[in-house]
Amino acid sequence: MKLSKTTEYAIRILCFMASNEDKIHSAKSILEKIKIPQKYMRRIMTDLSKNNFIQSTHGREGGYRFLKSPDSIFLSDIIEAVEGMEKYVGCILGFNECSGSNPCAMHNSWVDTREKLFQTLTKTNLSDLTSPSIEKQ
């Protein structure tokens, strides 16, 4: 299962910021390093700000800075902030009424994988991912 483009960009932005977490990062520097459309980045940054991961400051020396430590921001938190976790923890075939008592054809195969994915997303934080290689070449 692949992460959505929105989630991918949000994680890449926050990993870039986490590599120097005490710095105020300008929108320009983020755009130059992450190479995403400016309008798309603004939307993601708004979602991240609304969820209190980062704070925006305006003016000549403005930019974005962390409100939370990268150690306390987990992949599941980021996904929930920008798109919601439903597609990662729900039925793989998209059924609303899929459960142990009313399983879809893939339910039994998906249950263990879904649980492992959920554990990975809830236990992996930004500090675990901080690396110079996170920037897309």
Side-chain angles (χ1 to χ4, degrees):
M1 178 170 279
K2 184 176 183 333
L3 296 173
S4 73
K5 218 31 139 173
T6 301
T7 294
E8 177 191 330
Y9 286 156
I11 292 169
R12 287 175 49 205
I13 289 166
L14 291 175
C15 284
F16 168 70
M17 290 177 62
S19 65
N20 194 349
E21 69 181 276
D22 296 327
K23 179 181 175 184
I24 294 178
H25 298 271
S26 70
K28 182 180 177 184
S29 70
I30 295 169
L31 287 167
E32 286 173 358
K33 289 290 184 181
I34 306 302
K35 298 181 183 0
I36 63 174
Q38 184 175 6
K39 187 175 179 180
Y40 206 172
M41 188 188 96
R42 276 199 307 261
R43 191 185 117 222
I44 292 169
M45 298 309 256
T46 297
D47 289 341
L48 296 174
S49 293
K50 284 181 182 177
N51 285 276
N52 297 315
F53 298 134
I54 60 171
Q55 179 181 43
S56 166
T57 54
H58 301 284
R60 198 172 114 133
E61 300 296 318
Y64 300 95
R65 68 176 184 87
F66 278 105
L67 286 176
K68 292 182 178 179
S69 166
D71 291 339
S72 67
I73 300 173
F74 294 86
L75 293 180
S76 58
D77 300 329
I78 300 166
I79 294 168
E80 185 62 40
V82 298
E83 69 172 320
M85 283 286 291
E86 294 79 27
K87 81 177 191 180
Y88 300 101
V89 296
C91 175
I92 194 163
L93 297 179
F95 294 114
N96 291 331
E97 300 297 322
C98 179
S99 65
S101 61
N102 185 25
C104 72
M106 289 292 298
H107 184 81
N108 292 332
S109 299
W110 174 237
V111 157
D112 290 337
T113 303
R114 179 182 63 203
E115 183 58 31
K116 288 176 186 170
L117 174 64
F118 182 75
Q119 292 299 318
T120 299
L121 296 175
T122 57
K123 291 183 178 179
T124 305
N125 65 35
L126 283 178
S127 294
D128 296 331
L129 300 178
T130 303
S131 159
S133 65
I134 201 72
E135 298 169 20
K136 195 169 190 173
Q137 301 301 319

